[in-house]
């Protein structure tokens, strides 16, 4: 009996699950962004454009070019993953342009093994966001963020 149990367990372990077989996409026009200090990798759906994975610099002009590209493609929601403070400028630019911006805790998409590059990270963030599997981190409203800036400046 133990042999059959181990066979069952090993056959279950070798089975690969495809997200598209189990789930339906809840968001169709989304983008995933993996943010680093000097370069940001972005991914959109391959049916929107042939060149669906791009990288952009971290300067303000580069961030505006990224937002322009998202606008051209009709992107409605953007999921971003960042471990530092580099997300703040991009968040504000995308929010001002009318995108639904989701900041994702870096722990959520990192739990899947086999993804070791920034390109595969942004693609995975895009996929998870299109299925609605990434919860958003709490970000205060623009008024609260502005007030915090004034308070911090005054304290210094």
């Amino acid at each position: 009996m133990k042999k059959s149990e181990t066979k069952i367990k090993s056959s279950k372990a070798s089975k690969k699950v495809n997200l598209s077989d189990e789930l339906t996409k809840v968001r169709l026009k989304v983008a995933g962004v993996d943010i680093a200090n000097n370069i940001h990798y972005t991914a959109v759906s391959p049916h929107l454009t042939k060149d669906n994975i791009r990288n952009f610099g971290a300067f303000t002009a580069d961030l505006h070019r990224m937002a322009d590209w998202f606008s051209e493609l009709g992107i409605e929601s953007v999921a971003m993953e960042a471990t530092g403070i580099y997300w703040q400028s991009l968040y504000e630019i995308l929010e001002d342009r009318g995108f639904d911006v989701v900041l994702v805790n870096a722990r959520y998409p990192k739990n899947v093994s086999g993804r070791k590059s920034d390109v595969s990270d942004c693609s995975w963030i895009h996929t998870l966001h299109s299925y609605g599997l990434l919860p958003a981190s709490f970000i205060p409203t623009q008024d609260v963020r502005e007030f915090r800036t004034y308070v911090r400046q005054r304290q210094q």
Side-chain angles (χ1 to χ4, degrees):
M1 206 157 132
K2 288 184 179 179
K3 289 182 182 178
S4 65
E5 288 178 16
T6 55
K7 286 181 184 176
I8 292 172
K9 286 181 182 177
S10 65
S11 67
K12 284 184 179 178
S14 65
K15 206 183 234 186
K16 290 186 177 179
V17 177
N18 189 358
L19 281 178
S20 61
D21 293 341
E22 302 289 327
L23 301 170
T24 58
K25 291 186 177 183
V26 294
R27 297 180 179 108
L28 298 177
K29 295 185 176 184
V30 298
V33 182
D34 186 42
I35 297 177
N37 60 347
N38 59 351
I39 195 163
H40 305 327
Y41 288 91
T42 63
V44 297
S45 181
H47 74 274
L48 292 176
T49 181
K50 191 193 297 188
D51 184 24
N52 67 323
I53 296 179
R54 288 188 182 180
N55 57 2
F56 294 89
F59 291 106
T60 305
D62 300 323
L63 302 181
H64 282 288
R65 267 199 311 275
M66 183 191 311
D68 292 339
W69 184 56
F70 289 159
S71 295
E72 290 171 11
L73 296 175
I75 299 295
E76 297 169 354
S77 182
V78 179
M80 306 186 311
E81 175 202 23
T83 53
I85 62 167
Y86 306 109
W87 61 271
Q88 292 176 345
S89 299
L90 179 60
Y91 186 93
E92 289 181 6
I93 289 170
L94 294 175
E95 187 181 49
D96 289 343
R97 298 266 188 115
F99 294 102
D100 175 30
V101 187
V102 175
L103 181 66
V104 178
N105 189 331
R107 282 185 246 155
Y108 296 130
K110 293 287 184 198
N111 289 333
V112 177
S113 62
R115 297 178 308 97
K116 302 297 181 204
S117 70
D118 291 332
V119 173
S120 60
D121 280 350
C122 70
S123 180
W124 185 243
I125 293 165
H126 164 262
T127 302
L128 291 177
H129 188 51
S130 66
Y131 286 107
L133 296 175
L134 293 176
S137 298
F138 172 73
I139 305 294
T141 63
Q142 177 64 28
D143 294 339
V144 173
R145 292 193 311 257
E146 187 176 336
F147 180 71
R148 283 180 175 179
T149 303
Y150 289 137
V151 169
R152 288 180 184 136
Q153 181 65 30
R154 185 172 172 100
Q155 286 175 347
Q156 290 178 0

